[in-house]
Amino acid sequence: MTLATLKRRQHLLSYAKKQLDFLNQPKENGEYFTSFESKLNETGLDPLKPTKIDIFQVNVGYMCNLTCGHCHVDAGPDRKEIMTRETMQQCIDAIKDTDISTVDLTGGAPEMNPDFRWFVEELSKINKKVIVRSNLTIFLANPKYNDLPEFFAKHKVEVVCSMPHFTRLRTDSQRGDGVFDKSIKALQMLNEVGYGKEGTGLMLHLVHNPSGAFMPGSQESLQKEFKKKLFDAFGIIFNELYAITNLPISRYLDYLINSGNYEQYMQKLIDSYNPMAAANVMCRNTISISWDGYLYDCDFNQMLEMKLKDENLQHISEFDLNKLESREILVNQHCFGCTAGSGSSCGGATS
């Protein structure tokens, strides 16, 4: 049985403002958490500014075949927000003559967008590196998706896959019954067309995020363990593992509150603030575009409806790379998730 999204249930946390209000309210003892802005100020990073935008991250829709327990997008089958081909064309027009090298496609399950393949093909034509963030199970969800590994290989797409753990129990507890077995089959399909294999140029990366109220372990150690376990048991090979910290928003925030772990988890993130990780956060070299063409500093800000500070620079139709690279990045308490410990970004640890 597929769970309904927070939005479908009209849950309080399906409203971005309610999430932000909760993140900024006092603790049970009446004291406030240290603010993220004050931490930036202490370490000479306030206001946070971009370095150089090199990654154009596009969320092509919130629809997904899964409803994972910790999803910060609150994606699921009942989400109908889908990027149109017209907005995709605006994205192409905005970046085709720029030095932006990489287009990072995410969702939901980005492959479910009816114009997904067209978008990948058009981006390839303008010589942009394309990353697709896949939940893997989509390959087996419908016969029309069965040839996605071949399609990805043809266009040299870099595939970044969700894989919470190398065990069935931990993966299925976070993502749903049967997800582990389908993910293994999908990874084998990718390996069969050359992904993860030396000399093919077909890059396959896995993403691990913890299933409980704790931060991920050492990315390097986890990678070694994942590689050994998945190869020994299933013959699967891949390039890199990205260890990502769960940010306290959307379904994961709901989990933290319901499990009584919210205050402890937030304090752990704050106590683990790392200035080096903060200096390398993804919002400094990335711009995020929502399904309806609005611009955000990152995918997490997008989910909290924190549009860019400059009101004349908020939509893809107003795209101006020079202005974007000199903007001030909006921050809030959830940002501690990207700066704790070794740091966390869409590409894993940052320090």
Side-chain angles (χ1 to χ4, degrees):
M1 180 179 176
T2 303
L3 296 173
T5 60
L6 296 178
K7 184 174 183 180
R8 178 67 177 271
R9 288 182 271 150
Q10 295 185 312
H11 192 289
L12 196 65
L13 293 179
S14 68
Y15 301 96
K17 185 179 184 305
K18 295 297 183 182
Q19 292 188 59
L20 288 168
D21 286 347
F22 189 90
L23 289 170
N24 288 280
Q25 71 181 22
K27 294 182 276 188
E28 288 184 6
N29 63 8
E31 296 178 1
Y32 284 87
F33 287 110
T34 301
S35 75
F36 185 74
E37 201 165 2
S38 69
K39 278 289 189 180
L40 286 180
N41 189 268
E42 286 175 18
T43 51
L45 289 168
D46 184 37
L48 195 62
K49 294 277 209 170
T51 47
K52 175 179 170 58
I53 296 175
D54 191 49
I55 300 173
F56 193 79
Q57 188 172 65
V58 186
N59 192 311
V60 298
Y62 301 160
M63 185 182 291
C64 190
N65 59 309
L66 301 178
T67 315
C68 299
H70 294 350
C71 181
H72 73 277
V73 179
D74 190 32
D78 57 53
R79 297 299 296 264
K80 306 304 180 187
E81 300 92 334
I82 289 287
M83 182 175 279
T84 64
R85 186 176 291 203
E86 179 184 6
T87 303
M88 289 178 177
Q89 187 62 57
Q90 287 181 303
C91 290
I92 292 166
D93 292 341
I95 64 169
K96 64 183 178 182
D97 296 322
T98 70
D99 291 335
I100 292 174
S101 69
T102 302
V103 179
D104 186 344
L105 303 181
T106 185
E111 301 95 331
M112 293 182 76
N113 184 301
D115 290 310
F116 168 77
R117 296 192 193 218
W118 175 85
F119 198 22
V120 171
E121 289 166 352
E122 294 301 307
L123 290 168
S124 297
K125 288 177 185 176
I126 60 170
N127 299 315
K128 300 300 181 184
K129 172 184 171 182
V130 179
I131 296 173
V132 171
R133 296 185 180 270
S134 181
N135 68 30
L136 292 172
T137 67
I138 191 67
F139 298 177
L140 306 169
N142 187 298
K144 68 182 178 180
Y145 300 127
N146 291 169
D147 68 334
L148 277 168
E150 289 83 1
F151 175 78
F152 289 157
K154 178 182 177 181
H155 296 284
K156 302 290 184 183
V157 171
E158 184 171 307
V159 184
V160 179
C161 306
S162 303
M163 194 68 182
H165 205 257
F166 49 77
T167 62
R168 183 177 290 103
L169 179 63
R170 289 202 192 181
T171 296
D172 286 1
S173 67
Q174 185 180 133
R175 306 185 65 212
D177 291 343
V179 167
F180 179 79
D181 290 336
K182 291 175 184 176
S183 298
I184 292 299
K185 174 59 178 172
L187 287 170
Q188 290 170 336
M189 291 166 68
L190 287 165
N191 282 168
E192 284 171 13
V193 298
Y195 272 95
K197 295 183 178 179
E198 192 173 345
T200 64
L202 299 175
M203 305 301 288
L204 174 61
H205 307 307
L206 304 189
V207 174
H208 157 78
N209 62 306
S211 56
F214 47 87
M215 290 163 54
S218 159
Q219 183 168 284
E220 184 179 356
S221 298
L222 283 165
Q223 178 173 294
K224 289 178 181 176
E225 191 173 16
F226 266 71
K227 285 199 171 191
K228 177 170 174 49
K229 296 289 187 180
L230 291 176
F231 182 78
D232 288 351
F234 308 104
I236 288 169
I237 58 173
F238 65 92
N239 297 102
E240 294 182 33
L241 178 83
Y242 299 154
I244 295 182
T245 301
N246 290 310
L247 266 68
I249 65 174
S250 194
R251 286 188 210 146
Y252 188 66
L253 177 58
D254 185 42
Y255 158 76
L256 290 173
I257 295 168
N258 288 334
S259 64
N261 285 300
Y262 170 69
E263 288 195 5
Q264 180 183 355
Y265 187 74
M266 278 300 302
Q267 194 60 55
K268 177 65 174 175
L269 295 181
I270 293 167
D271 292 343
S272 303
Y273 174 84
N274 179 353
M276 188 179 296
N280 292 301
V281 283
M282 62 185 176
C283 53
R284 302 194 78 186
N285 75 335
T286 301
I287 195 75
S288 171
I289 301 87
S290 64
W291 66 274
D292 51 358
Y294 283 94
L295 305 181
Y296 299 83
D297 294 304
C298 72
D299 194 51
F300 302 113
N301 280 14
Q302 181 183 148
M303 300 313 145
L304 291 170
E305 298 177 10
M306 295 169 56
K307 293 189 178 79
L308 298 190
K309 194 170 184 179
D310 186 342
E311 292 183 0
N312 298 313
L313 202 63
Q314 291 187 344
H315 194 268
I316 190 63
S317 58
E318 303 161 323
F319 191 82
D320 185 320
L321 188 56
N322 289 331
K323 289 181 179 178
L324 288 170
E325 290 186 333
S326 61
R327 76 190 190 280
E328 182 180 327
I329 295 168
L330 286 179
V331 299
N332 211 295
Q333 294 299 84
H334 64 289
C335 300
F336 277 114
C338 290
T339 61
S342 297
S344 180
S345 76
C346 287
T350 58
S351 67

